[in-house]
Amino acid sequence: MSKTPLILLIEDHPIVRAGCRRLLEERGGIRVTEAETAAEGLRICREIGPDLVMLDLGLGDGGGLAGLRRLLTAAPGLKVLIFSMHEEPVMVAGALEAGARGYVSKNDDPAALLEAVDQVGAGEVYLSRPVAQKLALMNLRPGQSPLRGLSAREREVLAQLSTGQSLAEVAAQIGISYRTAAAVAAQIRAKLNLPSMAALIRLAVEQASAAPSDDLGAGGQRSVPSGP
Ligand code: CA
């Protein structure tokens, strides 16, 4: 007596949303419903209770890892598949740690997305091959915070960068030279396998918005949690 599974697609980009929906519907055997914002997705989860959620981490009204936690608090045990442009292992590890069952990058093959939906739907954990490789290269086990390997100074610089300050401003704020701040930023990038300074800043902002106290609708700035 199994009913057709319902997938909730939470994605703010209309073209990506339409493409995903078509891909899923062409395959058949599932129903698809959509949400454009984190708040709408949360409401639909509470009201309808989908069998699986495909969640974009970059939503206009927040979302991110905090949005993921909010969904899982509202619907414990919900099967959430992350569908994101972020491929940084630190984001993948953070999502798994927060309770996601799968992670697919927007750069992955469409076949990977369908495979992910099948496997997560069946109760398995799914990582697309490139995502899994990057995670493995970082020598991480899912469930372990990647920020654990950072020193107190590195965490401090990461926290300051998350507030949108330049590296020079961060150096002045902490009371270190620009040269030292640049060296610390380079150390963080090396430890977290981040390809550029832009990726480091994005991570800093994402980590800040992933603080457990965060609210979906809050757009304010806050510091990065200092604990592991
Ligand atoms: Ca998006």
Side-chain angles (χ1 to χ4, degrees):
M1 290 280 282
S2 62
K3 65 181 178 63
T4 312
L6 177 67
I7 295 184
L8 168 62
L9 181 56
I10 310 177
E11 161 69 66
D12 62 336
H13 197 295
I15 294 176
V16 175
R17 212 166 57 234
C20 274
R21 181 178 196 130
R22 201 175 57 210
L23 186 71
L24 293 167
E25 286 181 342
E26 276 175 0
R27 226 275 297 274
I30 40 180
R31 292 172 296 146
V32 181
T33 188
E34 299 174 13
E36 193 177 349
T37 64
E40 192 187 356
L42 186 61
R43 182 181 58 75
I44 293 176
C45 271
R46 284 187 171 131
E47 288 176 4
I48 302 177
D51 297 287
L52 189 150
V53 171
M54 267 181 64
L55 177 67
D56 176 26
L57 286 179
L59 295 168
D61 62 337
L65 295 181
L68 169 61
R69 289 198 184 90
R70 181 58 70 91
L71 277 180
L72 289 169
T73 301
L78 181 68
K79 292 168 181 166
V80 181
L81 170 62
I82 303 296
F83 179 58
S84 175
M85 61 178 287
H86 296 283
E87 289 182 350
E88 292 86 0
V90 69
M91 282 302 294
V92 178
L96 293 174
E97 197 171 48
R101 305 282 187 88
Y103 202 108
V104 174
S105 159
K106 288 183 179 173
N107 293 322
D108 283 330
D109 197 82
L113 185 62
L114 294 176
E115 200 182 339
V117 166
D118 282 345
Q119 292 212 16
V120 171
E124 307 283 322
V125 171
Y126 183 90
L127 299 176
S128 71
R129 198 184 165 89
V131 165
Q133 276 176 344
K134 284 186 182 175
L135 195 64
L137 284 173
M138 201 179 150
N139 196 22
L140 271 177
R141 285 174 304 163
Q144 201 173 52
S145 171
L147 298 188
R148 213 170 270 174
L150 297 186
S151 69
R153 170 57 55 81
E154 289 162 353
R155 283 168 187 275
E156 191 178 13
V157 168
L158 196 63
Q160 295 290 342
L161 282 173
S162 76
T163 64
Q165 298 176 90
S166 70
L167 199 52
E169 287 167 335
V170 168
Q173 184 85 20
I174 302 177
I176 56 179
S177 70
Y178 177 82
R179 202 167 154 172
T180 302
V184 172
Q187 279 164 20
I188 301 172
R189 277 180 50 194
K191 282 187 180 179
L192 301 183
N193 194 23
L194 297 168
S196 64
M197 191 64 191
L200 173 59
I201 290 168
R202 199 164 64 215
L203 168 73
V205 172
E206 286 282 353
Q207 288 293 325
S209 70
S213 59
D214 197 13
D215 288 319
L216 279 179
Q221 293 175 342
R222 51 179 60 75
S223 63
V224 168
S226 58

